[in-house]
Amino acid sequence: MADLSVTIAGVPFKNPVIAASGCFGFGLEYEDFFPLEALGGVSLKGTTLEARAGNRPPRIAETPAGMLNSVGLQNPGIDAFLREELPKIAGRDVVRIANIAGRSPAEYRELAERLRGAAVDLIEVNISCPNVREGGAAFGATCEGAVSVVREVKKAAGQPVVVKLTPAAADIAEIARAVESEGADAVSLINTLLGMRIDLESRRPVLRNNFGGLSGPALLPVALRMVWQVSHAVKIPVIGMGGVSSGRDAVEMFLAGASAVQVGAALFRDPFAPVKIIGEMNAWCDTHGVEYVRDLRGAASLWEDDPDWRLL
Ligand SMILES: Cc1cc2nc3c(=O)[nH]c(=O)nc-3n(C[C@H](O)[C@H](O)[C@H](O)COP(=O)(O)O)c2cc1C
C-alpha cells in the first residue's frame, strides 16, 4: 500500500482525492454509496451571501465525453450553510472545504468573515463560475479582478485560501502568479469551460441559460495543460481537476504538477468514482514502486528539445 497522504496549505489529507464543488452537495449526498471519510476532502456546494434559486431549467445537457451545466450557484445562502448544512458534517474525519462566490470583492470578504471559526479547513474562492450574471468568471479572467477578490478575502479569512481559477483566462499562469503574490495559499483548477448546444428542431439552445459550463472527460487534456503551466509558474500547491475519472487520470494530474485532485462530473456517471480512483491510484503506485504519491508531483518533463515548447 502506497502512502497517499498529502498536505496542502498546512492541511493534512489522508488521500489526495477531493469531491468537487457542485457535484457532492453539502457532503452527505453520497452516503448511501460510501462514507464521507473514504475521501481525502470535500469541496462543498458554492455558497453565496443570500440564498439563490439558480437558473431556469433545462440546466443540464449531455455532450460528447462530458456535460454542460448552467445550475447558476443554487444554494441556501451562508446563514443556512452555517446553521443547517455544516453542523451535519462538522465531526467527520474529512477535510472540509467551503466554496464561496460573491458579486463583488466586498461580498467575498464578508463570506470569508462569516466562515471565521466555522468547521471548515480551507476556503475555496470561486472566481471562475461561468453561469452567473455578476462576478464569477469575470473576476478570474483578469489579474486585476482576481487580485481585487483575493486581497479582500485574505483580510478576513481565518482559514487558508484556495483560489479556483477559470480556463477562460487568456493566460491562466499569469492569474495564478497574481493571486499567489496577493497571499493565496493554493490554487485549484480548472472550473468549467463555457459551451453551448443547440436543439435542431426548436433551433434554440438546449440550456435555458443559452450557455453552460463544460465538465467531464472532454476537459482532461485542457486541465492537464493548465495544471502544468500553473504549477510551473507558482510555488503554492495546485489542486487539479477537470475530467478526472480514473486513477490513471489522477496520476497524470500529479505528473503535471498537482498535489491533489478533485472529482466532479465523474460522480454523475458512477457515484463510486472517487473511491475507485483512490484504489486505482494505490494499485498504480504499487505496481510502479511508488511509495509516496506526493513524489509523483511534477515528475513529468517536457520534450525541451522541441523548439516550440517555450511558446507555452
Ligand atoms: C453540476 C455542477 C455544478 C457545479 N457547481 C460548482 C460550484 O458551485 N462551485 C464551483 O467552484 N464549481 C462548480 N462546478 C465545477 C466543478 O467543481 C469542476 O470545477 C468542474 O466540473 C470540472 O471538473 P469535472 O470535469 O471533474 O467535473 C460545478 C460543476 C458541475 C458539473
Side-chain angles (χ1 to χ4, degrees), residues 70-242:
S70 57
V71 169
L73 296 179
Q74 177 181 345
N75 80 95
I78 188 76
D79 287 334
F81 171 76
L82 291 170
R83 200 179 50 237
E84 285 154 35
E85 303 297 344
L86 198 52
K88 292 182 197 155
I89 58 162
R92 308 290 296 266
D93 178 24
V94 67
V95 173
R96 285 171 295 275
I97 306 173
N99 179 287
I100 59 170
R103 287 169 301 187
S104 64
E107 278 198 12
Y108 279 97
R109 179 180 174 163
E110 198 177 333
L111 284 157
E113 244 159 38
R114 301 292 311 279
L115 289 169
R116 281 189 83 86
V120 299
D121 305 292
L122 290 164
I123 300 177
E124 185 170 52
V125 180
N126 178 5
I127 53 168
S128 44
C129 181
N131 296 321
V132 288
R133 225 171 282 278
E134 296 168 279
F139 286 121
T142 65
C143 288
E144 301 72 45
V147 159
S148 69
V149 170
V150 176
R151 183 171 294 159
E152 291 306 305
V153 169
K154 283 299 288 185
K155 283 181 193 162
Q159 296 90 348
V161 170
V162 183
V163 181
K164 185 162 175 181
L165 306 178
T166 172
D171 182 349
I172 197 168
E174 190 182 44
I175 310 282
R177 267 193 298 265
V179 300
E180 176 183 50
S181 59
E182 214 49 51
D185 300 284
V187 286
S188 59
L189 61 136
I190 55 178
N191 207 320
T192 55
L193 192 59
L194 198 61
M196 101 186 275
R197 298 224 70 183
I198 298 169
D199 179 75
L200 299 188
E201 302 311 317
S202 64
R203 301 187 179 186
R204 295 269 199 185
V206 173
L207 297 172
R208 190 63 181 74
N209 198 47
N210 298 318
F211 305 138
L214 178 67
S215 55
L219 220 50
L220 181 70
V222 177
L224 283 164
R225 187 261 294 175
M226 290 186 166
V227 165
W228 190 91
Q229 286 179 306
V230 166
S231 68
H232 286 77
V234 298
K235 294 200 171 59
I236 51 178
V238 174
I239 302 174
M241 79 191 94

